[in-house]
Amino acid sequence: MMMRRVAFLGCCFCLLVAGNAMLWAQEGSLTATVGFANGGKKSKAADASNVVLWLTPAEGSTIAPWHGQGSSRPRLVQKNKSFEPHILIVPVGSEVEFPNRDPFFHNVFSLFEGKRFDLGLYEAGSTRNVLFDKPGISYIFCNIHAEMSAVVIALTTPYYAVSNRRGEIVIQHVPPGHYTLRLWYEAALPEVLNSMTREVAISESTSTLGVLHLPATSLPPAHKNMYGADYAPPSPGSSPAYQRP
């Protein structure tokens, strides 16, 4: 009787180990490294952070679409004349909150790619919401404060990651299948990013997407306000608190 029980427990343990191994093989981690090149030569960039990479399952895939996690709304906070965080990635269909935590007015807008909106002038302590109902990249600004900028990336896939300062990217729990690989980097030209889009096949043995080389570029030029004009310089010595533009 004891021998049968030991044999049964041993069989269960083997099945458990095999099941975990199969799950790991089906949904492993993928790594990639972002490098910058200048004139065909690898550049030693001090900071390779904030490069976004995502994998969109191919058409006809049985992988379920991404609906996000939890019930809390994503939030882009206005504080100290800046947006926090600078880059926000959300599933398509998310309603993003834009709370004003500064003691003065803001006017958040996006009139370029992605979602287009103008939240108008709203005061400290108030919040306005925007529904990001389609995939895309939205560049967010304030019509009063030129130094404020952020990016909201709405995706249909949970398989994404943002690089660290060393350019390292890790995407967790990617099932085997066919995907479209896309990159975004704030200082890269759209045509450069489009040229790096490609189809990839992920198998149970795939662990890396290799090194992805971006041209070494400077930050994008200063943007215009929502009327397409330059921002007016701030008045010396004036307080921003509740001053309308």
Side-chain angles (χ1 to χ4, degrees):
M1 184 70 178
M2 180 63 69
M3 293 298 296
R4 289 182 181 178
R5 181 175 297 177
V6 171
F8 175 76
L9 292 175
C11 181
C12 290
F13 176 77
C14 291
L15 289 174
L16 178 62
V17 171
N20 288 338
M22 184 178 296
L23 179 63
W24 174 255
Q26 288 177 347
E27 297 188 358
S29 298
L30 283 177
T31 64
T33 303
V34 175
F36 292 96
N38 190 359
K41 298 180 180 180
K42 189 175 180 180
S43 174
K44 294 182 179 180
D47 187 352
S49 61
N50 290 333
V51 178
V52 183
L53 185 154
W54 65 96
L55 300 171
T56 304
E59 187 175 351
S61 171
T62 58
I63 298 174
W66 184 35
H67 297 294
Q69 296 180 350
S71 57
S72 61
R73 287 178 179 170
R75 181 176 296 169
L76 202 60
V77 178
Q78 302 150 75
K79 187 176 181 180
N80 299 324
K81 290 188 182 180
S82 65
F83 289 106
E84 299 176 7
H86 179 67
I87 298 174
L88 180 64
I89 302 173
V90 301
V92 170
S94 296
E95 190 171 29
V96 176
E97 295 181 349
F98 288 84
N100 182 0
R101 301 280 175 79
D102 276 326
F104 40 80
F105 286 96
H106 284 303
N107 186 344
V108 180
F109 75 97
S110 178
L111 300 178
F112 305 95
E113 300 178 23
K115 181 75 174 184
R116 298 187 174 212
F117 62 89
D118 171 20
L119 296 184
L121 203 64
Y122 61 108
E123 63 185 3
S126 58
T127 299
R128 297 194 179 177
N129 302 332
V130 176
L131 177 66
F132 289 82
D133 52 358
K134 64 179 181 179
I137 299 168
S138 302
Y139 295 88
I140 314 296
F141 303 106
C142 175
N143 197 48
I144 304 173
H145 308 103
E147 65 269 38
M148 294 178 62
S149 68
V151 180
V152 176
I153 302 178
L155 300 178
T156 58
T157 173
Y159 310 118
Y160 73 89
V162 183
S163 66
N164 60 21
R165 291 181 62 88
R166 295 184 297 274
E168 299 166 341
I169 294 173
V170 180
I171 306 178
Q172 302 284 356
H173 309 304
V174 181
H178 290 82
Y179 298 84
T180 301
L181 181 154
R182 290 184 173 87
L183 282 175
W184 176 85
Y185 182 55
E186 192 166 14
L189 296 173
E191 52 266 30
V192 171
L193 297 175
N194 289 337
S195 70
M196 301 191 70
T197 299
R198 68 174 190 264
E199 305 301 315
V200 295
I202 305 300
S203 68
E204 295 177 356
S205 61
T206 304
S207 62
T208 180
L209 297 168
V211 179
L212 308 169
H213 293 288
L214 282 168
T217 55
S218 58
L219 289 176
H223 63 276
K224 305 289 186 180
N225 65 18
M226 68 180 182
Y227 304 111
D230 292 329
Y231 283 78
S235 301
S238 64
S239 171
Y242 296 102
Q243 295 294 314
R244 293 180 179 271

